[in-house]
Amino acid sequence: MGLTLCAVLVIAAALGVVWWLTRPPALPTIPPQYLATVQSATKACPELSVPMLAAQLDAESHWNPQADSGQAQGIAQFHPSTWAEWGKDHTGDGKADVWNPADAIPAQGAYMCHLFKEAKGIPGDPTQLALAAYNAGPGAVLKAQGIPRIPETQNYVKRIEALIPKYTQTYAKQISVAPSPPGN
């Protein structure tokens, strides 16, 4: 009896290890503290969706508001010159702060909306072109008349495009379980 129980436990443990090692990776989700900010940042731009902006933030910083590549800063990874033009005080504290997601995420949404407009008339997928412009700069996309042949930019676009369906799936779940605002 003891030997049989031991064998069953070993088999169960082995099956558990196999399951653990072969399970699909967890889908990414928008951190709850940023959900309303991301939703708000996409409202003024019909081309920009919540899953797309979420995928871009994931690719830029993995949702880390202190991310610093040495060339770009904050959750949205703004280059200082781009932040100087697009950074705004969205919190009302008197300071446009690249390190504050409540300032950086709406600025990213506004900048992406601008990039969609800049990419109009260029052949190709508008989302890919706007993402490429965010990564390489709008001048590089205009000069290339498409996604520039820059491996980092091409991989950036592919990475975000792979994340969008995942965020679409998890966002639908997030908003279906999110509590309704008071008065609704």
Side-chain angles (χ1 to χ4, degrees):
M1 178 76 166
L3 191 55
T4 304
L5 179 60
C6 191
V8 168
L9 289 175
V10 167
I11 291 170
L15 289 173
V17 168
V18 168
W19 172 83
W20 180 259
L21 294 174
T22 60
R23 75 192 188 291
L27 291 175
T29 59
I30 300 170
Q33 68 269 32
Y34 303 132
L35 180 60
T37 306
V38 173
Q39 289 171 319
S40 177
T42 64
K43 289 205 186 305
C45 187
E47 299 90 351
L48 191 58
S49 70
V50 170
M52 184 190 140
L53 189 60
Q56 190 178 16
L57 286 158
D58 187 324
E60 286 292 347
S61 67
H62 299 291
W63 298 98
N64 178 1
Q66 299 306 312
D68 188 347
S69 72
Q71 295 180 9
Q73 302 169 321
I75 196 166
Q77 287 293 280
F78 273 100
H79 186 275
S81 64
T82 308
W83 181 255
E85 182 176 353
W86 289 94
K88 303 248 183 307
D89 173 19
H90 291 276
T91 60
D93 66 359
K95 179 182 177 193
D97 186 359
V98 74
W99 304 107
N100 184 342
D103 286 343
I105 293 171
Q108 182 179 5
Y111 185 47
M112 282 300 295
C113 198
H114 168 75
L115 294 175
F116 272 107
K117 291 174 187 161
E118 288 282 311
K120 277 195 174 84
I122 297 174
D125 178 87
T127 298
Q128 292 178 349
L129 294 169
L131 290 169
Y134 193 90
N135 182 263
V141 173
L142 291 169
K143 183 179 177 185
Q145 283 296 290
I147 299 172
R149 295 190 186 278
I150 303 169
E152 176 191 332
T153 301
Q154 293 170 341
N155 290 334
Y156 176 81
V157 171
K158 287 177 190 172
R159 182 170 176 209
I160 293 170
E161 284 194 313
L163 285 168
I164 291 171
K166 296 173 183 179
Y167 274 103
T168 299
Q169 185 178 350
T170 57
Y171 176 59
K173 290 178 184 173
Q174 281 184 283
I175 60 174
S176 71
V177 297
S180 296
N184 283 355

